[in-house]
Amino acid sequence: MTRIFSGVKPTGHLTLGNYLGAVRRWAGVDQHRAEALFCIVDLHALTVDHDPGRVRRLSRQAATLLLASGLDPELCTVFVQSHVDEHARLSYLLECVATDGEMRRMIQYKEKAALERKRGGSVRLSLLTYPVLMAADILAYGTDEVPVGDDQTQHVELTRDLAVRFNQRYGHTFVVPRATRPEVAARVMNLQEPTSKMGKSDDVGPGVVYLLDEPDAVRKKIMRAVTDSGQDVAYDPEERPGVSNLLEILAACEGGDPETLGGTYTSYGALKKDTADAVVELLRPVQERHKRLCADPSYVEGVLRDGARRARGMARPTVDSAYEAIGLLAPTAG
């Protein structure tokens, strides 16, 4: 059976972009067609300045929201990255295969490092090397497919390169994975800055719809979304990013085509209203299930405990094989 791995980083509250771009497909498609693992990649949240308590809270919230979104622990494996030691064990081996130049060419490193320097802060070494940890996340499980948004494609390409290089130097050890992308709303944009991704790490949220936003807040944010000059409603991401973003969101919510939808509207107001209504209804069942799960925290803890146990069982043989292949002496039994 095809094996899928993907993860979510607990650096902020999950957004509509996370849901439409990834989580909904995980629940509706991926967990039913493949052996799927979905991970809270909490180690990745440590690459920048952070509040330890907030990382723990967001990790639990993310796990709860994944379950509320429809991930079924009977069909897939849901777990926390730091609960499975094999991620860190394999990451160091892959650092011994990766090059400094590869790391410094990563687009996200360049962007985040520049932002950190602009703030007057220092750049952590882990920000440079975390794509290797991401590769370890994927390769430890013999992953065939990695469902990602457009901004993560480069990381999957690095993972493929490292897998091929390791296999060529030390013998076939890893499956070489491939990236897969949803057809619609792979990258939902910020409602106030439609040329930028709707990111969960944003500190202020007028342009970001969070999965746990109240319906009134959702409507207010969408009704205040930045559109474009002129009055024609047309799908043109390059020239009309604001209205195109709304059409993408509406199409993703209703299962339509953004270009076709554009021809059915004569005003921005009507488009915004319909988009707001669609998003509110889309999030309603997720929020209701989230509320029920929060009332039973022991259930979520059990899911994560069982998920980590299953994940360790899948990852350990591959990682042990990598240790042997690269030349490390196996520990003596007993």
Side-chain angles (χ1 to χ4, degrees), residues 73-140:
E74 297 296 322
L75 298 175
C76 66
T77 301
V78 181
F79 67 105
V80 176
Q81 178 190 32
S82 62
H83 295 177
V84 180
D85 294 344
E86 278 66 28
H87 292 254
R89 287 181 63 208
L90 182 55
S91 182
Y92 181 72
L93 295 197
L94 296 179
E95 284 186 15
C96 297
V97 176
T99 68
D100 176 75
E102 285 176 314
M103 297 300 98
R104 296 188 186 279
R105 286 195 295 271
M106 301 302 288
I107 295 172
Q108 288 205 13
Y109 170 72
K110 291 180 179 180
E111 293 176 347
K112 292 181 179 179
L115 181 61
E116 196 66 31
R117 293 188 183 101
K118 186 177 180 180
R119 292 171 175 168
S122 58
V123 179
R124 300 185 182 190
L125 179 61
S126 56
L127 184 63
L128 178 66
T129 60
Y130 93 90
V132 177
L133 176 58
M134 183 180 293
D137 298 338
I138 297 166
L139 296 179

Side-chain angles (χ1 to χ4, degrees), residues 222-223 225-235 240 242-244 246-247 250 258 260-276:
I222 293 176
M223 294 305 294
V226 169
T227 49
D228 311 287
S229 59
Q231 294 299 317
D232 293 337
V233 179
Y235 182 70
R240 316 196 73 173
V243 69
S244 296
L246 292 172
L247 288 167
L250 181 58
T260 301
L261 280 173
T264 65
Y265 288 93
T266 58
S267 72
Y268 292 155
L271 171 61
K272 288 181 176 181
K273 181 181 182 302
D274 284 356
T275 302

Side-chain angles (χ1 to χ4, degrees), residues 40 60 63 67 73 76-81 83-84 297-313:
I40 314 302
R60 177 179 290 276
L67 297 174
C76 66
T77 301
V78 181
F79 67 105
V80 176
Q81 178 190 32
H83 295 177
V84 180
S298 63
Y299 172 76
V300 177
E301 291 170 2
V303 168
L304 296 179
R305 182 174 57 251
D306 292 344
R309 177 181 52 78
R310 289 201 302 270
R312 280 193 294 271

Side-chain angles (χ1 to χ4, degrees), residues 35-50:
E35 187 174 28
L37 299 99
F38 301 110
C39 183
I40 314 302
V41 287
D42 54 345
L43 294 176
H44 293 296
L46 311 185
T47 60
V48 295
D49 189 35
H50 63 277

Side-chain angles (χ1 to χ4, degrees), residues 1 36 43 71 75 122 146 177 202 218 231 236 251 331:
M1 181 179 289
L43 294 176
L71 292 188
L75 298 175
S122 58
V146 188
D202 294 345
V218 173
Q231 294 299 317
D236 185 346

